[in-house]
Amino acid sequence: MKYKLLAASILATMSTSALSATYQLTELSTLDGAKHNYVKDVSESGHILGLANGIYNLPIDVSYIDFTDSLIERAYDQQEDYFELIDKQITFTLDDIENNNAAATNPDAHSFMLSFLTAQATNPEYQKLANIIGYNVLNGEAQEQVLFDIASVDYDGLTRSVSNFYNAVAEDGIAVGWGSAPYEKTVFTPDGETEEETRFVRDFISRGIIVSPDGLSVPLVPEFDEFGGLSMANDIVKTNSGYIVVGQVSTGIPSDRQENIDDNCDGEDQPISVCIEGLQRSTSSRLFDTRAVKWSLDSNLNITNTELLGLGLTPEDDDNFAFTSNALAVNSNGIVAGSSDIRDNNRSSTIRTLPVYYKDGKIVEMLNQEDDWTGGKALAINANDVIVGYGIKAIDGANRFKFFYHDIASNSTVFPADFFNSSASIANDINDNGYIVGEGETDVFNVGSRRREGFLYKIGEDSITNLNDFLPCYEADGETRYKYVVSEAKVINNNNEIFGVATKTVEKTDSLGGIVRDINGKIEYESIAVPVKLSPINGEVESCTDPETDAYERQSASFPWYTLLLLPLVGLRRAFRQ
C-alpha cells in the first residue's frame, strides 16, 4: 500500500490553497542504454541535466584474467549453488567466458562477471567499472556528457571506469560537475618478485570540471595536487561579468596521513596510486584536508579568482587529522551554502559536519547543537537568501534526516513538520516564491528501509503535501491505476514547475538490455526510475478508493490507538494506490 492512514493524516493538515492546485506529469527523455534515469538540475531557462545508471552492455575485459584462480572459481561455484536453489540451470562455464567473452556468451555470464568485478572493487588486480553516466537533454533528447573518460585500448568505446557527477547548470547552459580519472591497465613487478602482475591505476580520485554547450571543458585543478589532489564543482550561477562556481578542493595532507603515506606508499609492493586509494578508503575520504571554494570566471570560462571559504573551526596543534568543508550551492548574491566540520559544543574532541553558509568572509552555523543536531548539509539557496537542507538527530532510537529552511535576514531556522515524527526528510531546492521541494519517508509502519516520496512545502502555510496527491487516480482508460509514483523532487523553478524522479513498473531487463523471463517463460517485471516534470494545471484533487483498504484494516489490530481516529479518512485519496 502506498500511504494508508499516513496519507489521510497528511490530507487532514493540508491547507485550502494547497488543495486547490493539481499537477500534470510529463516523463522526460531518458538515455538509451540505461535502466534508471534521474533529474539532477534544471535552469530557469530550461536546460536539463540528468544522471543514468544501470548501464547496459558494460564492457568486460577478460584478456588478463586467470580463470583457474581460486577467487573466480569460488565465485562461479557460489553462482552455481544459487541457480540450483532457484531451480535454474546454469547456462555458461568459465571456459565460455574466457573463450567468448562474457557478453558474447549470454546475459547470465555477463551478469556474473559484473557481480564478480563489483566484489573486487577494491582489488587493484581487476578491471574497474562504473555504472553512472551524466547527460544533457538537448532539443528534448538525452545525450551523454563525457567528463573525464577516454577511449579504451582493450575494447570498443569508453573505458566506463570513471565516476560521473554532473551537478548543476547555469541559465545559458554552462554546466559543472566532477569525476574521476579513467583507470589504466598496466603491469607491475613487486619488489623481490620476477613475474609481472596486472594492476589498474588512475591519475586522480576526483576533479571538478566546467562544461559548455559547445564542447569546451575546463578542469578545475586544485593548487594542492599531490597524488592528484581532489576537487569538486557542485553549483554554478551566471553573473554580469561571467560565472561563480562553488565546490571543494584539497589544501594539504595532515601529518598523521602523511606518515601513513611515508610508511606504506613506497612503490615497492604496489603502485603508489594504488596505495593512495587504499588509504583514501581506509580513512573514510579524509586522506586530504579539503576546503569549500568559490571560483570566479569570466565569460570565456577563464578563472579570474579562487577563494577558499574557510573552515568552521580552528585546528589545534595536536589535531593531526584531516578537516573538511564544502560548498554545495550559491545564489546570484554570491552567498554560498554547504557544510563544514564544527566542534561539538560540549566535547571539543568530537567533530560534527553541520550545515553552514559563507558570507562576507564569515562561516555561519544554522543549527543549534543544544537541540541535539549532530550533522547535516545545506543544499540550496534562493535569490532571497533563504537556504534549505537537512539536519540529523536521533529520533526513536535512530538517526533521522529532517528538512529545514533558514532565512538569513531574520537569522531563523525552521524545521517544518513532515510526514510523521520519525520520517526522514530532505529539502533539495527552494524557488524565489518560497516553495520548497524534497523527499520524505512515507512508510510509517516500517522500522527498516522505508519508501520515500516527493513533497512540496510553502513557507508560511505550515503544511507539507505529498506530490503524488496532485496526480490522477487512473490512466486514460479510467480503470488502470496511474503508473507513476514520484519518489524525489529535485528542482522547482519560479513558475512552480517541479522536476524530479518517479518510479514505474516495466518489463524487466538484464545487463545486456534483453527482456527477462522466469523459468516458465513468463515475462518478469520491475520498477525503474524515470525523470519527470510536474506542471501546475487548473483542476481539482481527485478522490480515490483504495483497493487494499480491507486488507489493511485486517492488520490494524496491532496499530496504536490513535490511528483509529483516522479510519474515516482511509480511501479518500488516489495516493493510497499501489
Side-chain angles (χ1 to χ4, degrees):
M1 290 180 296
K2 189 173 181 194
Y3 291 90
K4 306 308 174 195
L5 295 180
L6 171 62
S9 66
I10 296 169
L11 280 175
T13 64
M14 288 199 305
S15 66
T16 302
S17 60
L19 285 170
S20 65
T22 60
Y23 277 80
Q24 178 180 6
L25 184 149
T26 303
E27 184 173 337
L28 302 175
S29 176
T30 57
L31 194 67
D32 288 339
K35 179 175 292 190
H36 302 287
N37 290 258
Y38 309 84
V39 167
K40 187 61 178 176
D41 193 29
V42 182
S43 72
E44 286 291 331
S45 52
H47 297 91
I48 300 174
L49 304 187
L51 289 176
N53 76 345
I55 310 304
Y56 299 128
N57 291 292
L58 281 173
I60 297 175
D61 176 17
V62 300
S63 63
Y64 67 96
I65 297 177
D66 178 4
F67 282 90
T68 65
D69 184 84
S70 60
L71 193 64
I72 194 166
E73 285 186 335
R74 189 161 53 248
Y76 181 80
D77 291 341
Q78 292 171 349
Q79 185 76 6
E80 225 176 358
D81 293 341
Y82 170 71
F83 275 22
E84 183 178 348
L85 189 65
I86 61 173
D87 295 325
K88 181 177 179 179
Q89 184 71 33
I90 196 162
T91 58
F92 63 93
T93 66
L94 292 181
D95 285 342
D96 292 331
I97 297 174
E98 182 176 15
N99 296 323
N100 304 322
N101 205 326
T105 299
N106 60 40
D108 287 344
H110 187 255
S111 179
F112 164 76
M113 285 303 300
L114 288 178
S115 297
F116 175 75
L117 292 173
T118 299
Q120 303 305 315
T122 61
N123 186 339
E125 299 178 22
Y126 287 92
Q127 177 188 4
K128 306 305 169 200
L129 289 172
N131 208 11
I132 297 178
I133 293 176
Y135 65 84
N136 302 289
V137 178
L138 301 174
N139 299 318
E141 296 294 327
Q143 301 178 27
E144 179 178 0
Q145 176 62 60
V146 177
L147 299 182
F148 292 103
D149 209 353
I150 59 175
S152 171
V153 298
D154 298 304
Y155 41 78
D156 293 337
L158 300 171
T159 72
R160 296 298 181 201
S161 64
V162 300
S163 301
N164 295 281
F165 295 89
Y166 203 33
N167 290 330
V169 61
E171 293 312 294
D172 57 357
I174 301 292
V176 298
W178 61 273
S180 61
Y183 280 94
E184 175 188 359
K185 184 174 68 176
T186 186
V187 292
F188 177 79
T189 304
D191 190 48
E193 302 290 336
T194 58
E195 187 175 343
E196 291 182 335
E197 300 175 357
T198 299
R199 294 290 185 271
F200 287 84
V201 299
R202 60 181 175 179
D203 292 335
F204 55 81
I205 297 171
S206 72
R207 181 76 76 244
I209 191 169
I210 305 170
V211 181
S212 71
D214 60 7
L216 177 64
S217 295
V218 180
L220 297 167
V221 180
E223 183 175 343
F224 182 87
D225 62 354
E226 290 188 32
F227 310 112
L230 299 177
S231 67
M232 302 177 185
N234 298 318
D235 198 14
I236 182 172
V237 63
K238 192 175 185 335
T239 66
N240 292 332
S241 58
Y243 305 88
I244 295 174
V245 175
V246 297
Q248 183 184 59
V249 292
S250 55
T251 58
I253 297 175
S255 58
D256 57 349
R257 296 287 82 84
Q258 187 62 56
E259 288 180 8
N260 295 147
I261 293 172
D262 295 340
D263 292 342
N264 297 285
C265 301
D266 53 14
E268 295 182 359
D269 297 324
Q270 56 187 334
I272 290 177
S273 65
V274 169
C275 182
I276 293 296
E277 289 210 30
L279 289 176
Q280 174 83 350
R281 286 190 298 269
S282 66
T283 55
S284 301
S285 299
R286 291 296 182 93
L287 177 63
F288 296 95
D289 277 307
T290 62
R291 297 293 182 268
V293 64
K294 178 167 71 173
W295 291 280
S296 298
L297 299 97
D298 63 22
S299 57
N300 295 316
L301 301 185
N302 299 304
I303 298 174
T304 59
N305 186 56
T306 301
E307 179 186 357
L308 297 180
L309 299 177
L311 187 66
L313 58 81
T314 302
E316 299 177 354
D317 292 339
D318 58 349
D319 287 336
N320 297 320
F321 45 86
F323 289 106
T324 185
S325 61
N326 200 358
L328 299 172
V330 61
N331 69 1
S332 55
N333 302 321
I335 300 175
V336 180
S339 63
S340 177
D341 285 349
I342 304 289
R343 292 195 189 278
D344 186 282
N345 287 345
N346 299 315
R347 296 182 299 276
S348 62
S349 61
T350 299
I351 307 301
R352 311 287 189 189
T353 301
L354 293 167
V356 299
Y357 67 87
Y358 305 87
K359 180 184 179 184
D360 299 330
K362 297 180 180 179
I363 302 173
V364 183
E365 293 183 57
M366 288 175 279
L367 307 190
N368 186 350
Q369 290 189 40
E370 302 305 317
D371 291 335
D372 300 322
W373 298 105
T374 59
K377 292 181 180 180
L379 299 179
I381 179 170
N382 69 6
N384 301 316
D385 300 340
V386 180
I387 298 168
V388 297
Y390 67 88
I392 303 172
K393 73 186 308 183
I395 300 174
D396 293 346
N399 284 332
R400 302 290 185 187
F401 292 16
K402 288 292 183 179
F403 88 92
F404 72 84
Y405 66 89
H406 177 89
D407 187 339
I408 291 178
S410 62
N411 191 32
S412 60
T413 302
V414 177
F415 283 85
D418 49 12
F419 289 133
F420 54 94
N421 182 57
S422 65
S423 169
S425 58
I426 297 173
N428 290 319
D429 197 21
I430 179 172
N431 68 8
D432 296 341
N433 306 319
Y435 284 94
I436 298 170
V437 294
E439 61 208 67
E441 292 176 338
T442 59
D443 192 355
V444 66
F445 300 113
N446 190 343
V447 296
S449 178
R450 291 169 164 174
R451 180 174 52 250
R452 290 172 178 261
E453 301 188 33
F455 71 74
L456 175 68
Y457 176 86
K458 175 67 167 66
I459 293 176
E461 292 192 358
D462 197 27
S463 62
I464 185 173
T465 305
N466 192 307
L467 287 173
N468 293 288
D469 291 337
F470 289 145
L471 301 179
C473 304
Y474 299 96
E475 296 293 335
D477 61 10
E479 298 180 356
T480 305
R481 289 280 172 169
Y482 196 61
K483 63 182 178 182
Y484 295 99
V485 178
V486 178
S487 56
E488 301 176 17
K490 300 295 290 185
V491 179
I492 183 167
N493 63 22
N494 288 331
N495 294 323
N496 295 336
E497 296 170 325
I498 300 168
F499 297 82
V501 180
T503 59
K504 68 175 183 178
T505 300
V506 298
E507 294 179 341
K508 186 175 182 178
T509 52
D510 57 38
S511 63
L512 299 178
I515 300 299
V516 175
R517 297 177 182 271
D518 63 20
I519 58 175
N520 298 315
K522 294 183 178 180
I523 293 177
E524 296 185 9
Y525 292 84
E526 64 183 339
S527 179
I528 64 167
V530 295
V532 295
K533 174 183 178 180
L534 276 67
S535 305
I537 58 173
N538 293 325
E540 297 180 357
V541 173
E542 299 181 38
S543 296
C544 303
T545 58
D546 179 7
E548 295 185 356
T549 298
D550 292 339
Y552 174 76
E553 290 180 347
R554 285 195 295 270
Q555 301 172 23
S556 65
S558 62
F559 297 160
W561 63 269
Y562 53 80
T563 61
L564 296 175
L565 300 177
L566 302 176
L567 286 176
L569 299 177
V570 172
L572 287 180
R573 286 287 301 122
R574 170 217 60 80
F576 295 162
R577 74 190 193 298
Q578 279 284 6

